[in-house]
Amino acid sequence: MSSLRWALAAVLVTVGIQSSISAQTVFFDNFQYANPNGALPFTTTYGHIANTVPNGLAPLGSFMISNNIAADLGGGIAAHEIIPVAGDGNPNFFDHTFGNAEGLYMAINASGATNIYGRSGIAVTPNQEYRFSVWLNSWTNLDGFFGQLDVQITGNNTGLLAANPVLVAPTVGDYPAWGQNWTERTFVFNVGNNDTISFEMINLFTNALGNDYQIDDISIVAVPEPSAIALSGLGLAAVGAAVYNRVQARRRRKLRAKQQAEAQIA
């Protein structure tokens, strides 16, 4: 590898490290709980049902932590409008994190404008911007009856920080395979003078028809400021230049040593 290419590679490695450090995750939940049918770390007004009983996600306002909601409901029968793909009598409905039977997610039979999921005591840096993200997946085929969530964020020093636009669960459409229509919903907010925040995801759609969906991979991640990114870039350029200069100096020393040795032999 040439010295210039080597220097550029060093810069790229450093860029990767910087990017990893700057993307600071202050909260993440992918529902991979050791015992999903036991104590759960989040608050909710919905009733928890074990995911070991086929057709068990009832009545309205219930949820389960599942690895395959279609199997939990009896293999994709008509309960809650799950329609099997043609020729597939037992469709899979896997999670977003792993996309297989090892992954878990929260399946919701939603009803009423109530708190589906809430967490508190999340430490943040005052005046920092953060990106809230949640992955949603519908399990109803009723057009116009998809889940709707409002994420309400509060701080310990300032009350309501964000009453954000409604996050709508994706329409089912024609799935290429069940469980592969996970869609990310996200927004950015500023925490103001707060050093701790809490949030709730409120179900806004109250119709008993449809309104069935899953959530997975909830995260809150710091958003680097443009000035910080620019300064980081200048620093990386300096690192690259220094590496290049050291390589060139080393090559010059080797060349001089070779020339001196050849002169002595002559």
Side-chain angles (χ1 to χ4, degrees), residues 37-265:
N37 297 320
L40 297 168
F42 57 86
T43 60
T44 181
T45 56
Y46 279 48
H48 181 211
I49 295 177
N51 64 339
T52 57
V53 180
N55 302 314
L57 193 49
L60 294 172
S62 301
F63 77 94
M64 66 170 62
I65 306 299
S66 174
N67 69 338
N68 188 348
I69 187 65
D72 290 329
L73 294 179
I77 63 173
H80 296 90
E81 300 87 47
I82 288 183
I83 309 299
V85 176
D88 186 355
N90 186 21
N92 294 318
F93 219 112
F94 293 141
D95 83 330
H96 173 261
T97 312
F98 302 108
N100 56 38
E102 296 179 6
L104 298 172
Y105 52 82
M106 183 179 183
I108 301 161
N109 183 0
S111 175
T114 52
N115 173 29
I116 284 191
Y117 180 104
R119 295 295 282 263
S120 60
I122 301 169
V124 294
T125 301
N127 302 311
Q128 172 71 48
E129 286 192 335
Y130 289 86
R131 178 178 182 268
F132 183 95
S133 170
V134 60
W135 289 84
L136 303 175
N137 196 345
S138 295
W139 49 286
T140 176
N141 271 335
L142 293 179
D143 188 27
F145 292 87
F146 303 105
Q148 299 176 8
L149 289 173
D150 176 34
V151 183
Q152 297 188 357
I153 299 175
T154 56
N156 60 323
N157 294 319
T158 303
L160 186 64
L161 296 179
N164 297 284
V166 177
L167 309 180
V168 180
T171 60
V172 171
D174 296 322
Y175 279 23
W178 286 95
Q180 294 184 2
N181 200 41
W182 287 98
T183 300
E184 184 182 28
R185 303 299 193 212
T186 183
F187 61 88
V188 174
F189 66 99
N190 193 299
V191 299
N193 65 345
N194 298 286
D195 53 30
T196 301
I197 62 172
S198 303
F199 74 89
E200 291 184 342
M201 289 193 288
I202 308 297
N203 176 64
L204 296 182
F205 188 57
T206 59
N207 199 309
L209 294 175
N211 205 13
D212 303 321
Y213 51 98
Q214 305 146 252
I215 61 176
D216 199 12
D217 292 345
I218 309 167
S219 65
I220 300 177
V221 180
V223 178
E225 296 180 2
S227 58
I229 295 175
L231 290 174
S232 175
L234 290 174
L236 294 175
V239 170
V243 172
Y244 178 74
N245 290 335
R246 284 198 298 270
V247 172
Q248 291 294 85
R250 188 181 302 116
R251 294 182 65 182
R252 286 195 294 270
R253 287 196 300 270
K254 289 183 178 180
L255 179 61
R256 284 197 300 270
K258 180 180 179 181
Q259 291 172 342
Q260 290 173 358
E262 291 175 344
Q264 292 175 356
I265 295 174

